[in-house]
Amino acid sequence: MYKNVIKLLAISFLLFNSSIHVNAEGTLEEAWQNELVYFIEVDRFNNGDPQNDGAEFNPEDPLAYHGGDFEGIVRKLEYIKKMGFSTIVLSSIFLQEGNNIAQNIDEHYGTKEELQNLVSQSHKLDINVLLELDLNTGSPFTAEDQAQLIDSGASWITDVDIDGYFINYPDVISADFWKDFNEGLVDNYLVGTLQEYDDSKATRYIEAGFDSILNAPFQEAASLAFANVDNNIEPASSVVEEAPENLTNFLDSHNTVRFTRYSIENNQHPGNRFKIAYSYMYTLPGTPFVYYGSEIAVDGGEPPLNRPLMNFQSDEELIDYMGKLAKVRNNFPPLTKGDYQLLYEKDGMIIFKRSYQEDSVIVAINNSSKTQKVIIPANEIAEDKKLQGLLTGDVFQEENGNYEFIIDRELAEVYEIQEKTGLNIPFISVFLIVPTLFIGFLILAKRRGQKK
């Protein structure tokens, strides 16, 4: 038991010291690649004000209102922050009549003042707020429609202080339009998901002003790869190597079947599958994008059945794991800014390297049903170093010019490359000073108990 406690303390201490180092360098402009994104179905998340439920309220009907609102999200901001998310995207909150969008808020979600409060409270926690604009209306956007959309887009940023927009199907309008739309956003984010994805189109919309486009090929490949144990990861890793820059990775969304459904169909525990899949997604190039409820493995089929009412009474194991992944990602620049080098991929096992400037990390993921051993030459990682695990605390060093990775079944680890020899002050503090103080505390408490 004490060994496990000390190992956890060691990981925490390492992340704490790394975060100090990163924050000291945090003078560069924030970029979308540094964000962790949580998409919220406003109506299905949390009912904070029953008075705005209305006559259409019916949680049993997947097409009716379920009661979620702005106030409900405010009450769960700490919950969102605990998982490490830095940006939330609110599903479309506007009444929609034809192509006249982003004009008036649907009263079921709250008032403009309540939206302003949500944005203000989010900003206090350093959480960005993006609003979804749903362009899936079926009718062509006229020049008048486009001018109205530009005006509305700029006004909500001015009036409510939101941090940008998530555009559902921006490709129903030409990429050139978004150059004009983006001029009104100043330094705010513009992100979207395409109706018909291809790499060249994604690149075209990014060049037109989008900070990122959701990576649909990744969602398809990764969902299949990680929904079952012993699956080949190669199709997903091929997508990663071939993808354009600045994409956003996801496992499910408001337009897809839930990843949980795929896991259940394979008779797999969704929590375990999510841990492996998120370990992969959080450590890859690209911005991680999580659909509400995935942290508790919400199930659902085709839309709208993929959008059930959120249930917050659940096991927190996956929530805690996601928080740990977020800390690792945020504290090590190679995981947000670094390049990508595949070192090994076979039989459900993958090892890759992320490097940024002088720093590198190694990611090892075993998606198989048995422990795997992989030997990587030191010249592909670093000469005469040791690897310190940040998730499980695993540590080993170069031996005879190689690194021998031994990864248990269905397990992932992220390794920091450290000096092989010499005093390691943080770890001396954790392994020697902290246990000594703890033992001293126990002895003192025992003596006091005896005196009584």
Side-chain angles (χ1 to χ4, degrees):
M1 180 183 74
Y2 291 110
K3 289 183 179 179
N4 291 334
V5 171
I6 292 172
K7 183 180 286 187
L8 289 174
L9 286 171
I11 295 171
S12 300
F13 198 97
L14 179 62
L15 292 178
F16 174 76
N17 278 273
S18 299
S19 66
I20 292 175
H21 172 71
V22 172
N23 291 338
E25 296 180 348
T27 58
L28 297 177
E29 181 179 353
E30 290 288 329
W32 182 254
Q33 65 187 6
N34 295 326
E35 305 291 349
L36 284 171
V37 187
Y38 188 74
F39 187 103
I40 298 175
E41 290 286 350
V42 177
D43 178 58
R44 309 302 169 92
F45 192 64
N46 189 38
N47 191 344
D49 182 9
Q51 294 185 12
N52 61 30
D53 288 351
E56 303 89 349
F57 173 78
N58 183 0
E60 302 302 320
D61 182 353
L63 296 176
Y65 288 98
H66 285 42
D69 48 37
F70 301 143
E71 177 60 28
I73 298 173
V74 169
R75 297 183 183 184
K76 293 296 183 180
L77 286 175
E78 292 286 353
Y79 166 86
I80 294 168
K81 186 67 175 180
K82 175 184 177 181
M83 291 182 284
F85 292 107
S86 58
T87 294
I88 58 175
V89 178
L90 306 187
S91 63
S92 181
I93 61 172
F94 300 109
L95 290 172
Q96 196 160 332
E97 298 178 357
N99 289 337
N100 294 320
I101 63 175
Q103 294 286 305
N104 300 302
I105 295 174
D106 188 326
E107 63 183 9
H108 292 86
Y109 306 142
T111 65
K112 183 176 182 178
E113 292 70 27
E114 287 173 321
L115 176 60
Q116 289 172 324
N117 180 58
L118 168 55
V119 173
S120 175
Q121 296 303 317
S122 299
H123 287 173
K124 289 179 181 178
L125 294 174
D126 293 324
I127 297 175
N128 299 312
V129 180
L130 275 59
L131 301 183
E132 178 193 14
L133 299 182
D134 188 359
L135 306 191
N136 188 24
T137 59
S139 57
F141 277 77
T142 65
E144 183 179 352
D145 294 331
Q146 295 179 23
Q148 176 267 312
L149 184 57
I150 290 173
D151 290 342
S152 297
S155 67
W156 286 105
I157 287 176
T158 301
D159 296 347
V160 183
D161 197 28
I162 62 170
D163 303 285
Y165 291 99
F166 176 88
I167 311 297
N168 191 42
Y169 300 153
D171 45 337
V172 302
I173 308 178
S174 71
D176 291 338
F177 162 78
W178 295 106
K179 296 178 181 178
D180 296 331
F181 182 88
N182 197 41
E183 288 181 359
L185 301 189
V186 192
D187 294 324
N188 293 272
Y189 286 129
L190 183 61
V191 183
T193 181
L194 299 177
Q195 188 173 36
E196 296 179 357
Y197 181 93
D198 67 60
D199 286 348
S200 61
K201 181 188 287 188
T203 299
R204 192 159 65 249
Y205 277 79
I206 289 173
E207 291 175 347
F210 277 79
D211 292 281
S212 186
I213 294 293
L214 263 62
N215 190 347
F218 175 85
Q219 185 271 329
E220 296 169 2
S223 293
L224 291 176
F226 293 104
N228 202 356
V229 70
D230 290 321
N231 276 352
N232 185 6
I233 304 176
E234 193 277 331
S237 63
S238 294
V239 169
V240 171
E241 292 190 281
E242 297 170 5
E245 293 183 358
N246 302 330
L247 295 188
T248 294
N249 298 321
F250 67 111
L251 293 175
D252 49 19
S253 75
H254 57 324
N255 295 323
T256 73
V257 171
R258 289 280 188 163
F259 178 75
T260 295
R261 176 59 56 91
Y262 296 128
S263 300
I264 292 174
E265 289 174 348
N266 286 297
N267 297 315
Q268 294 293 313
H269 187 283
N272 292 341
R273 297 288 83 218
F274 264 117
K275 281 185 178 181
I276 294 296
Y278 279 150
S279 297
Y280 186 56
M281 189 174 82
Y282 273 55
T283 56
L284 289 173
T287 305
F289 177 102
V290 175
Y291 193 42
Y292 88 104
S294 294
E295 71 276 13
I296 59 172
V298 164
D299 186 22
E302 295 288 345
L305 298 179
N306 63 342
R307 307 166 191 167
L309 188 63
M310 181 72 170
N311 175 12
F312 292 95
Q313 303 298 321
S314 59
D315 186 357
E316 292 203 355
E317 183 178 349
L318 179 55
I319 293 174
D320 292 340
Y321 188 80
M322 291 171 68
K324 183 183 291 186
L325 281 174
K327 288 180 181 178
V328 170
R329 178 180 170 83
N330 291 336
N331 289 331
F332 290 87
L335 294 177
T336 55
K337 303 179 179 70
D339 60 15
Y340 172 87
Q341 179 186 356
L342 181 64
L343 300 179
Y344 179 90
E345 196 285 309
K346 185 178 179 182
D347 298 330
M349 178 81 174
I350 187 168
I351 301 176
F352 55 90
K353 181 179 182 180
R354 302 288 312 278
S355 300
Y356 176 72
Q357 295 180 352
E358 301 300 318
D359 298 324
S360 297
V361 296
I362 307 297
V363 179
I365 297 174
N366 183 357
N367 189 47
S368 75
S369 56
K370 61 182 180 181
T371 298
Q372 293 212 37
K373 181 173 72 173
V374 177
I375 296 176
I376 304 292
N379 59 15
E380 296 187 34
I381 295 179
E383 301 285 352
D384 198 32
K385 304 290 185 181
K386 72 175 180 181
L387 302 185
Q388 172 64 54
L390 303 173
L391 296 177
T392 69
D394 181 34
V395 59
F396 62 100
Q397 60 189 22
E398 176 197 338
E399 297 287 348
N400 300 320
N402 294 307
Y403 291 92
E404 183 178 85
F405 293 81
I406 301 177
I407 309 296
D408 289 343
R409 54 170 293 179
E410 297 185 78
L411 193 70
E413 184 57 285
V414 181
Y415 295 95
E416 182 187 24
I417 301 173
Q418 297 183 346
E419 292 299 325
K420 185 176 180 181
T421 58
L423 294 177
N424 188 326
I425 301 302
F427 274 80
I428 289 176
S429 300
V430 171
F431 284 104
L432 182 60
I433 298 175
V434 172
T436 301
L437 291 175
F438 181 68
I439 293 171
F441 170 79
L442 293 178
I443 294 173
L444 182 60
K446 183 178 180 180
R447 289 179 177 175
R448 288 180 176 176
Q450 291 174 342
K451 288 181 179 179
K452 292 181 180 180

